[in-house]
Amino acid sequence: MSPVSTAAQHPYLTVVSDQPTAPLEGTVVEKTAAVEKAARPAWLAAAATHARDNHLYLPLVGRGYLRLGQRWMAGLHDYHPHLIATAEQALDAEKDVNKQDGLREKVDERRAACRRHRLIYGAQTAAWGVAATTTTTVGAVTVGGWVALVAGLGAYLYGLRHGIGDEPATPNAVGQVGRRQQPLLPQLVEAAPGPADEEALLSALVKADIITAAERAETRIIGGIRQDGPGWAATIELPEGMPALKATAKVSNLAGALRKKVGQLEFKPDSSETGHEGMVTLWVGDNPNPHAGPKVYSQLIHADRWHFWRDGIPLGMDARQNRQTLNLIWSSILIGGLQDYGKTYLARLIAAAAALDPTVRIIVITGKKGPDWAPLKKIAHRYIAGSDPDTIREIFAEMNTVIDDMQARGDELERLFEKEPHRVPEGKITPELAANGMGPVLVLVEELQELLGGAAATKMPLPDDDSENPRQVSAKPLLVDLFGRFNRAARYVLGMGVYITQRPDATSVPTELREVCVKRASFRTKSRESSEMVLGDMAVAAGASPHALLESSKGVLVLEEGAEDGYRTLRGDVIDLPEFVEICERGRQLRIKAGALTGDAARREEQAQKAEEYRLLITGCLRVLDGRDAAQLDELAAAAGMRPDPLADELRAAGVVRPEKVVIAGKRVRGYDRACLEAALKAL
C-alpha cells in the first residue's frame, strides 16, 4: 500500500485548537456572496418580508371585496328606497281622503319600479357571474389547471386593488418612512370625522369669529353632536342678541376653523318649530365633495305620465342622500350660473315634468336657435327663437296675449266664485278646474341675457303712448317689465315663468325681475356678488354659497325657495337630449289623446298629417307610371279616383310643379313626368 493511500485511510490524530477556525477567505467567499445576491435581490427580499409581515395582504383583499359588496348593494337599492319613503311620508301626512288614493297609487308605482330595478340588476349580476364561472371552468378543463390559478390570482389582485386605503405610512424614530405601525384593515365602522366633543365645536366657533371667547359660556349645543347620514350635525343656540343670519354669513370662516371645505358645510338658521331667531343648524359632510358621484338619471325618463300639480318636479339628491322635489305651482323660478354647469339640465327636468302632463300649456322663448329645446316644438303652444328686432317684437306680442289670457282667467274665477263658490273654495284654481281647461301655463325663457341684449338694440314705442308719432325707446326695460308683469299677474291663475341666464350680473339679471321670482337656483358662480345677483342678498347671508362650489361641481345647484327652510344644495338628476326627445314625443301623444294640442304644435301636427297625405298621393302617382317616364293627367286621375282638375290642384298644393311640356308617344299631352314627382316627394 502506498504511503498516500495509508494516510488517506488512517489520518494522524491532532490536538484540536481552542481558537475558532478562521473563516475562509479569498475567491471562495466572494463567489458565495455573488451567488446569494444573484439568487435573491435585496428589493425582492424586502418585498417578501413586507408581504409576510402583513399576512400576504389578505386583510386588504377582504376589505376590497367588502367595499365591492357595499357598492353592489348601493346599486341594488339605487334611489328607490328614498322615493318610496318620500311617497309614504306624503301619504301619511295627507288628510284629504280624495287625495290619498292618488298617493297610494304613487307608492305602488314606486314599489313596482323598485322591484323591476332589482330584478334587472340581479339578472345582470347573475349573468356576469355565470359567464365568469363558465369561462374559468371550461378553460381549466380544456387547457389546464394553470387557467384556474391565473383566475385566482386575478381575483386576488382585483380585491387588493379595491382594498388599498388612504392610511399614510408612520415615520419611525429616525424620521424615515418605515413599516405601517397600524393594522392594514381598519374598523368597519369609524366615527364621523367631526370635532371630538362639544368643546371642540365651540372652539371652532370662536376661531371663526362667530362668537367671542367671553360668549362661549352663553353658547349651547342643543342635543349634542349627532351622526346625520354621511356626516355629523349639531343645533347651536347663539348668545343672546346674536341673530342667526349674522352667524351663517361667516360659513367660510367656520369651514376654515373646522379644516373643511365650504361645500361640506350646511350652516343655516334653524327653521324648525322649536327654533328661534338665535338658533342655527350645522351639518358637516364626511366627504370633501359630498355631492360627487355618478350621474343619476331622472325617473321622468321612464314615466308614462306625470302629475305636475300633485307630484311636483323630481330634482335630485342632497348631500344627505335625501331625494328632493320642486313644487313650482304658484311661483316662478330664476336659474343662473356659469356656462356648462347644468342650467339647461335643471330647466329640462322642469320642462319634462310639464311635457308629461297634458294639462300644462308650454310656451318656449329662447334667445338663440339650437337643438336644446327643439324637441318641445312637438308640444309647445308657442315656440319663438332668436333675438333680432323682429323676434323681440314677436315676443312682446305673445307675452301680451298670455297676460290677457291670464287676466281673463281671473275674470272667470270671479264669476265662478259668485255663482258656484264651491268650485273655488279659496278663490284659486283647483286641480279639477285645471283638468277642465285652466291648467298651468309654463313660460320657459332661455338665454335671458341674449334676449335682453337684443331688446337693448330694438326700438319700440312706450305702451301707453297713443300719439301719432310715439317716441321710440330701448325695448330692454320694457321687456324686463313685461316678464315681471306676467309673474305678478299670472301667479294666482297658474302662470309660471322659468328664466335661465348664463351671466349672473346686474345687466343680465335685473333686480326687478329677480324679486318677482319666488324661487331661485344658482349653479357655480365666480364671486359672492354673482351669487347675490341670482339668489338675493338674504340667501347668501344665510349661508348659500354657489361661489364656493368646485370646478368639478357640474350638476350641483343651490336652490332658494323663499320658504322658512331656506336654501338647499343638491345634485340634479340628468335627462340627456335623446331621452328628452322621447319624453316630448310621449307628451305629444298624451295631448293628442286629451285634445290638448294647441297653437304652434297643433299647426305643426296638421302640417305633418297633410304632408303625409301628399306623400301618399305622389307615391301613388309614381306607382301608376310603372317604369315609364311620364303619364297623362287623365290616367293619374282615373287611378286616384278623382277628376283631373281637383287632382292637379292637390298636386300643386303638394309642391309638384307640372312641366311645361310632356311628350308621350310623340304627342304633347297634359301630364306629369317622373322627375317633377320625385322632386316634390323629396322636398316633403
Side-chain angles (χ1 to χ4, degrees):
M1 184 178 292
S2 66
V4 175
S5 61
T6 303
Q9 294 177 5
H10 304 283
Y12 294 102
L13 296 176
T14 59
V15 179
V16 178
S17 174
D18 294 335
Q19 299 297 325
T21 304
L24 295 176
E25 298 179 357
T27 58
V28 175
V29 174
E30 291 177 359
K31 288 180 180 179
T32 303
V35 170
E36 289 179 356
K37 184 175 182 180
R40 192 172 190 179
W43 64 267
L44 183 59
T49 301
H50 191 275
R52 183 180 65 252
D53 291 346
N54 290 289
H55 311 290
L56 299 180
Y57 310 117
L58 290 177
L60 282 178
V61 176
R63 182 166 69 178
Y65 279 102
L66 176 63
R67 290 176 176 174
L68 290 171
Q70 291 171 341
R71 293 175 192 170
W72 186 88
M73 288 299 298
L76 178 66
H77 293 303
D78 202 10
Y79 55 81
H80 292 286
H82 298 288
L83 294 176
I84 295 171
T86 302
E88 289 176 341
Q89 290 173 3
L91 177 59
D92 293 339
E94 183 57 59
K95 304 301 182 184
D96 190 337
V97 178
N98 295 327
K99 295 181 180 179
Q100 287 179 355
D101 291 338
L103 292 175
R104 287 194 188 94
E105 291 179 3
K106 178 57 64 177
V107 172
D108 294 339
E109 289 175 5
R110 294 185 176 180
R111 287 175 176 169
C114 181
R115 288 193 294 269
R116 286 195 301 270
H117 167 75
R118 291 184 176 183
L119 180 62
I120 295 172
Y121 194 83
Q124 290 174 341
T125 304
W128 281 108
V130 170
T133 304
T134 302
T135 302
T136 303
T137 303
V138 172
V141 172
T142 58
V143 179
W146 63 270
V147 174
L149 292 176
V150 170
L153 178 61
Y156 171 84
L157 294 176
Y158 188 69
L160 181 62
R161 174 179 176 272
H162 288 278
I164 296 175
D166 300 326
E167 182 185 7
T170 304
N172 59 22
V174 294
Q176 301 296 324
V177 176
R179 291 189 294 121
R180 295 178 186 266
Q181 302 299 318
Q182 302 295 331
L184 287 176
L185 184 62
Q187 295 179 356
L188 296 183
V189 180
E190 299 180 350
D197 51 32
E198 296 180 15
E199 291 301 318
L201 177 54
L202 291 173
S203 297
L205 293 172
V206 174
K207 293 176 183 177
D209 196 28
I210 293 174
I211 61 173
T212 64
E215 294 172 327
R216 181 169 179 156
E218 301 179 48
T219 307
R220 294 194 304 148
I221 311 298
I222 299 176
I225 297 172
R226 58 193 181 277
Q227 187 75 26
D228 188 356
W232 57 271
T235 301
I236 305 167
E237 187 173 51
L238 299 168
E240 292 184 7
M242 178 179 292
L245 285 176
K246 182 179 179 180
T248 55
K250 297 181 179 180
V251 61
S252 58
N253 293 8
L254 183 57
L258 292 172
R259 293 295 186 262
K260 304 291 183 181
K261 292 183 177 179
V262 176
Q264 286 179 258
L265 273 65
E266 287 184 5
F267 195 37
K268 306 189 216 177
D270 187 354
S271 59
S272 66
E273 293 182 359
T274 58
H276 56 72
E277 296 301 321
M279 289 178 63
V280 293
T281 59
L282 172 66
W283 182 84
V284 181
D286 299 341
N287 192 326
N289 188 0
H291 301 284
K295 287 183 179 181
V296 176
Y297 285 91
S298 174
Q299 64 192 97
L300 295 170
I301 293 175
H302 302 294
D304 295 327
R305 176 171 176 159
W306 196 257
H307 296 278
F308 192 88
W309 181 298
R310 184 189 70 194
D311 298 332
I313 302 139
L315 287 186
M317 193 175 294
D318 64 15
R320 307 186 205 194
Q321 307 303 304
N322 297 318
R323 296 290 304 171
Q324 299 293 315
T325 301
L326 170 67
N327 293 308
L328 200 58
I329 297 293
W330 316 121
S331 59
S332 294
I333 185 170
L334 173 68
I335 303 172
L338 294 175
Q339 188 175 5
D340 295 331
Y341 276 86
K343 297 183 300 300
T344 299
Y345 276 95
L346 173 58
R348 192 178 288 164
L349 291 172
I350 299 173
L356 292 174
D357 189 335
T359 68
V360 180
R361 175 176 291 187
I362 301 174
I363 297 171
V364 179
I365 299 173
T366 174
K368 67 178 183 182
K369 298 179 180 180
D372 285 344
W373 301 108
L376 285 174
K377 289 181 180 180
K378 298 178 179 179
I379 56 178
H381 178 75
R382 286 302 313 277
Y383 187 94
I384 304 173
S387 59
D388 58 275
D390 289 340
T391 303
I392 295 297
R393 294 186 181 93
E394 185 180 356
I395 293 170
F396 269 86
E398 177 59 27
M399 290 304 299
N400 281 316
T401 300
V402 174
I403 291 173
D404 290 342
D405 290 343
M406 297 293 100
Q407 291 174 340
R409 280 191 180 188
D411 294 338
E412 177 63 15
L413 282 177
E414 184 177 347
R415 187 194 67 79
L416 284 174
F417 184 75
E418 292 174 352
K419 296 185 181 262
E420 302 176 82
H422 63 280
R423 298 185 63 186
V424 281
E426 297 181 4
K428 294 182 180 180
I429 295 177
T430 62
E432 291 73 23
L433 291 175
N436 293 321
M438 283 194 185
V441 176
L442 182 73
V443 177
L444 178 65
V445 181
E446 169 69 294
E447 300 289 348
L448 178 62
Q449 76 283 348
E450 295 295 331
L451 292 171
L452 295 181
T458 303
K459 298 296 183 181
M460 293 186 66
L462 291 171
D464 55 353
D465 190 347
D466 297 329
S467 62
E468 294 182 1
N469 296 310
R471 185 167 61 93
Q472 301 287 317
V473 298
S474 170
K476 179 178 178 179
L478 301 179
L479 186 60
V480 172
D481 180 69
L482 188 64
F483 287 143
R485 191 154 56 93
F486 166 75
N487 286 5
R488 292 189 297 270
R491 175 181 176 185
Y492 295 104
V493 285
L494 293 188
M496 301 168 291
V498 179
Y499 304 93
I500 311 149
T501 182
Q502 286 187 6
R503 295 196 303 268
D505 54 37
T507 59
S508 62
V509 187
T511 304
E512 54 268 35
L513 179 57
R514 182 194 68 209
E515 293 304 317
V516 292
C517 290
V518 177
K519 302 179 187 292
R520 303 154 194 172
S522 179
F523 289 80
R524 184 171 181 260
T525 60
K526 286 186 176 180
S527 65
R528 181 187 178 96
E529 292 73 21
S530 295
S531 299
E532 291 173 345
M533 281 294 170
V534 180
L535 299 179
D537 300 352
M538 295 292 290
V540 176
S545 305
H547 49 283
L549 294 174
L550 307 175
E551 289 187 11
S552 59
S553 300
K554 297 201 172 187
V556 179
L557 65 131
V558 180
L559 178 65
E560 164 63 27
E561 297 192 79
E564 292 183 355
D565 292 340
Y567 70 91
R568 294 180 281 169
T569 304
L570 56 101
R571 184 182 186 87
D573 291 342
V574 172
I575 299 176
D576 290 327
L577 194 55
E579 286 76 22
F580 189 52
V581 172
E582 296 176 1
I583 289 172
C584 290
E585 176 58 29
R586 292 203 297 275
R588 184 182 76 90
Q589 297 294 339
L590 287 170
R591 282 164 174 77
I592 291 174
K593 184 177 180 180
L597 204 62
T598 61
D600 291 350
R603 287 187 286 273
R604 181 185 178 91
E605 184 69 18
E606 291 174 3
Q607 292 171 358
Q609 292 178 358
K610 201 66 177 176
E612 182 61 25
E613 293 174 4
Y614 289 150
R615 195 174 291 110
L616 293 174
L617 178 63
I618 296 173
T619 302
C621 292
L622 286 171
R623 193 177 298 113
V624 172
L625 292 182
D626 192 23
R628 294 176 292 164
D629 292 332
Q632 294 188 50
L633 176 59
D634 292 345
E635 182 184 359
L636 296 176
M642 299 175 63
R643 295 173 62 89
D645 289 340
L647 176 60
D649 293 339
E650 285 291 314
L651 290 174
R652 187 182 308 108
V656 179
V657 179
R658 191 171 65 188
E660 295 182 359
K661 184 178 180 181
V662 175
V663 178
I664 298 177
K667 294 181 180 181
R668 183 172 178 175
V669 298
R670 184 187 179 196
Y672 295 85
D673 60 16
R674 180 180 298 276
C676 71
L677 293 172
E678 290 180 345
L681 186 62
K682 184 177 180 181
L684 286 174

